[in-house]
């Protein structure tokens, strides 16, 4: 039962907000969707495997409007953004994107957005699937800060895959090749001003284009599509197999409010001594001093291909003792085995250790603890 | 295009959390789902129409675990709950449930939960589809209140329909017949302590049973199912047709953060002069003084049955001028016409007025402004 994701009909209404690109995803026959930030997000077109192989070789266009932005601007904007993350934000420059876990006063992860610095006192937080808008609004109100916190009319569209740079250079000129990872520029495309960042929720590289006028959504899609035809462009979406192979964690799957960043492999984004005030400092300092009891493990599971689990699967040590949970999994064509993320007891998280996972078969499946490169 | 809800495959992962009753919804072949508070919610079993007719005559069991609870407890619990709603909470008694829109400092609706008073300083907010947990956590932190704000392990299961009271009396004794609307008791069912409220997201009456031990979810379902067989119990879900006929608004569909409660027909839940401090008072006082520019309209649309719209539909006056949006709609077997909620210019919201709605046909469909009883 664990291993069969529920596949059923999805019914949408106004509550699950329409994306500016949604008609194109329909026309290209997206076969499966999930819901993310109260919006539909396609999960596969031809099939996750066929989509994966195309993504690794060509270029795809992805409707990722569900990566909703939270704008924080005004006098206290920097103070508010610093308050909610253990990563330093003040040192980021205008034109830079910075991955930053948002952490509450107990050390729990609220979200893990990219923070985009548009101006000295203007930020977009490009969020994963939780209402960061409401959390920031609450803190801003409670603290009495002089900042505006709102959801701007912004919808990202991603261009991903090895041919993405050629495509964008055709559209915008050769200079775009020099755009560095996690940096952005502004440009005009399809008669509308967009922000173009070298980023994307995958391992194949590419760009995210931040549309600011929803009425231009289809025109923007069509303009990229036309430029992409010579590169065999297809409609695609963040690909589960590519995500796991690339080691990208997913908020809600691999970390939740019940987790602290140390147990999710995010220690490198924590600066316990950053200059600005932040609400998680005391909690994270305590956890760091005591040592996190759990930690992120990378597992390979030999044998027949396994699917993404509906819910967490129990992980046991060699003696059958419960040591944690498997949170995401995919069969990898590249590594020719099943790859998975797990949250396990730190003491049991030893490179090369053999553990067991209850995948819903008669007996647990053996798994090996590997490193971030799946070795 | 507007009138075809996107129907596609839904893919679930751990991020869209499993409910304690989910295996039963699958076994009873729920045909369509939506996502609500990061959890699956069935939308139909046999069909919305067949489900509706059965609901109006018999009794159904609904997995509404997605009505997530936010617990607020501790010294400042009442102060925090009062702060976030314009409705008085202090006067509610232990054992009472109270519908209360949550409204921010600008007058925008954040959610419209039922507030359940468990003790003098302990509340559950039974929420609609937005992360109220994060908003309240942010305010609590920002204000430095002495309250605990968290999501308890609570999943509601509803028993709805005209036979619901007979069924519950068989299980719990005749005294349950005396339980008043929006009041609750504690009881033991299926060997676990539950809270039982006379409430439900529909017009046919019934109970909501708040499970507190997820491991007992299937046992609780089975215990109710066994008692319900003599009443022709079926698995069901909040029914769209019944919701519209009953005049129940849906957060995200009929009201959003962009709306104030005056324009959504919620004026009766606003006490501008309530004793406790609340964050929306200044904004709501201004809106009340100026008069809300928009208001909730009830529309009937004659002609062929129409479906629930994917997104808002434009509403025009008789001269073709844009006066608002239609937000929800269903064909009603009871009234033998299409019923809809709309948000329109207050000046145009006149009982008996004929307006037009762009439903995606060649010409707009004529509609009549009616009262809350659809007359």
């Amino acid at each position: 039962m664990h291993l069969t994701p529920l596949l059923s009909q999805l019914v949408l209404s106004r509550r699950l907000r329409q994306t500016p690109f949604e008609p194109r995803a329909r026309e290209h026959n997206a076969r499966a969707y999930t819901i993310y930030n109260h919006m539909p997000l396609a999960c596969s077109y031809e099939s996750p495997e066929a989509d994966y192989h195309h993504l690794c070789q060509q270029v795809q266009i992805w409707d990722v409007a569900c990566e909703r932005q939270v704008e924080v601007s005004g006098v206290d904007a920097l103070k508010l953004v610093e308050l909610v993350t253990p990563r330093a934000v003040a040192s980021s420059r205008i034109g830079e994107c910075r991955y930053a876990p948002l952490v509450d006063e107990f050390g729990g992860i609220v979200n893990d957005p990219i923070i985009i610095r548009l101006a000295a006192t203007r930020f977009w937080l490009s969020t994963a699937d939780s209402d960061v808008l409401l959390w920031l609004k609450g803190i801003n109100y409670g603290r009495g800060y002089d900042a505006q916190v709102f959801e701007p009319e912004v919808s990202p569209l991603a261009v991903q895959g090895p041919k993405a740079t050629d495509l964008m250079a055709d559209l915008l000129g050769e200079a775009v090749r020099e755009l560095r990872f996690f940096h952005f520029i502004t440009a005009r495309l399809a008669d509308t001003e967009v922000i173009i960042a070298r980023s994307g929720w995958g391992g194949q590289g590419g760009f995210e284009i931040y549309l600011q006028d929803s009425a231009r959504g289809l025109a923007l899609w069509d303009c990229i599509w036309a430029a992409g035809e010579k590169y065999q462009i297809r409609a695609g979406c963040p690909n589960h197999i590519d995500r796991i192979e690339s080691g990208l964690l997913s908020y809600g799957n691999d970390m939740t409010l019940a987790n602290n960043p140390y147990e999710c492999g995010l220690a490198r984004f924590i600066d316990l001594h950053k200059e600005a005030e932040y609400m998680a400092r005391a909690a994270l300092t305590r956890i760091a001093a005591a040592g996190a009891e759990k930690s992120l493990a990378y597992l390979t599971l030999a044998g027949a291909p396994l699917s993404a689990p509906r819910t967490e699967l129990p992980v046991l040590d060699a003696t059958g003792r419960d040591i944690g949970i498997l949170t995401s999994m995919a069969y990898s064509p590249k590594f020719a085995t099943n790859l998975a993320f797990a949250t396990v007891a730190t003491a049991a998280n030893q490179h090369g250790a053999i553990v067991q996972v209850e995948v819903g078969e008669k007996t647990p499946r053996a798994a090996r603890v590997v490193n971030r490169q799946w070795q």
Side-chain angles (χ1 to χ4, degrees), chain A:
Chain A
M1 186 173 73
H2 277 309
L3 280 182
T4 312
L6 178 58
L7 282 165
S8 186
Q9 296 277 285
L10 168 65
V11 179
L12 295 179
S13 67
R14 183 186 185 222
R15 178 174 55 78
L16 301 172
R17 304 172 290 177
Q18 192 170 46
T19 93
F21 318 112
E22 192 173 306
R24 292 291 178 269
R26 287 198 204 201
E27 288 159 20
H28 287 284
N29 298 313
R31 293 199 186 175
Y33 288 85
T34 187
I35 297 297
Y36 201 93
N37 279 329
H38 313 276
M39 270 191 164
L41 169 65
C43 288
S44 86
Y45 281 82
E46 195 178 334
S47 73
E49 295 72 23
D51 294 352
Y52 162 84
H53 288 295
H54 177 265
L55 172 65
C56 293
Q57 291 158 21
Q58 311 287 355
V59 61
Q60 294 183 351
I61 182 169
W62 297 354
D63 174 358
V64 285
C66 67
E67 292 171 3
R68 303 311 292 169
Q69 309 302 302
V70 175
E71 178 161 335
V72 181
S73 52
V75 176
D76 290 332
L78 178 60
K79 200 155 73 167
L80 178 56
V81 176
E82 288 277 24
L83 185 65
V84 298
T85 176
R87 189 165 186 195
V89 179
S91 57
S92 73
R93 281 160 300 184
I94 297 167
E96 198 181 325
C97 313
R98 190 165 280 192
Y99 176 81
L102 306 186
V103 186
D104 75 11
E105 68 272 36
F106 307 107
I109 306 172
V110 170
N111 202 288
D112 66 330
I114 307 291
I115 300 178
I116 298 167
R117 190 163 200 171
L118 297 160
T121 59
R122 184 169 174 235
F123 300 87
W124 283 347
L125 278 61
S126 188
T127 62
D129 183 29
S130 73
D131 293 341
V132 168
L133 173 67
L134 295 182
W135 192 55
L136 288 188
K137 275 172 63 72
I139 296 168
N140 187 47
Y141 170 80
R143 276 281 175 124
Y145 281 179
D146 184 8
Q148 290 76 55
V149 179
F150 60 98
E151 186 180 293
E153 188 187 327
V154 172
S155 295
L157 183 65
V159 181
Q160 299 284 307
K163 306 287 176 61
T165 303
D166 289 342
L167 186 162
M168 295 299 283
D170 289 354
L171 275 176
L172 293 166
E174 292 298 307
V176 80
R177 295 185 188 276
E178 309 306 317
L179 183 60
R180 283 185 296 154
F181 185 67
F182 267 34
H183 284 73
F184 70 82
I185 52 172
T186 57
R188 278 191 80 81
L189 266 182
D191 258 338
T192 190
E193 187 174 286
V194 293
I195 283 174
I196 299 177
R198 175 88 74 170
S199 57
W201 212 54
Q204 305 307 316
F207 300 83
E208 288 179 300
I209 304 171
Y210 291 78
L211 172 72
Q212 296 171 80
D213 177 0
S214 298
R216 300 298 298 161
L218 300 184
L220 179 62
W221 176 293
D222 294 343
C223 146
I224 291 162
W225 187 269
E229 291 199 77
K230 67 191 261 204
Y231 302 110
Q232 285 73 54
I233 194 169
R234 285 192 199 166
C237 47
N239 182 274
H240 179 68
I241 302 167
D242 175 60
R243 165 175 95 77
I244 307 280
E245 282 185 354
S246 308
L248 292 173
L249 302 183
S250 160
Y251 186 74
N253 284 310
D254 307 308
M255 54 182 135
T256 74
L257 189 59
N259 295 118
N260 69 63
Y262 289 109
E263 61 194 28
C264 300
L266 301 177
R268 66 192 184 282
F269 303 111
I270 300 173
D271 180 356
L272 286 178
H273 307 290
K274 83 170 187 178
E275 202 176 322
E277 178 191 5
Y278 72 97
M279 59 202 281
R281 193 193 312 259
L284 294 180
T285 301
R286 271 196 307 274
I287 295 165
E293 287 170 22
K294 295 185 277 187
S295 57
L296 170 63
Y298 301 86
L299 304 181
T300 54
L301 295 86
L306 293 162
S307 319
R310 166 73 189 96
T311 187
E312 56 274 12
L313 306 178
V315 180
L316 317 170
D317 70 8
T319 70
R321 197 173 46 103
D322 201 323
I323 56 167
I325 54 170
L326 182 154
T327 58
S328 286
M329 176 162 58
Y331 178 79
S332 161
K334 182 173 166 188
F335 295 94
T337 191
N338 298 290
L339 310 180
F341 302 130
T343 307
V344 301
T346 303
N349 194 357
Q350 302 291 338
H351 187 265
I354 302 299
V355 299
Q356 309 176 71
V357 183
E358 290 183 359
V359 298
E361 297 170 336
K362 276 183 195 164
T363 55
R365 186 80 74 99
R368 175 184 292 272
V369 178
V370 295
N371 65 20
R372 231 185 135 194
Q373 286 72 45
W374 304 109
Q375 302 299 325

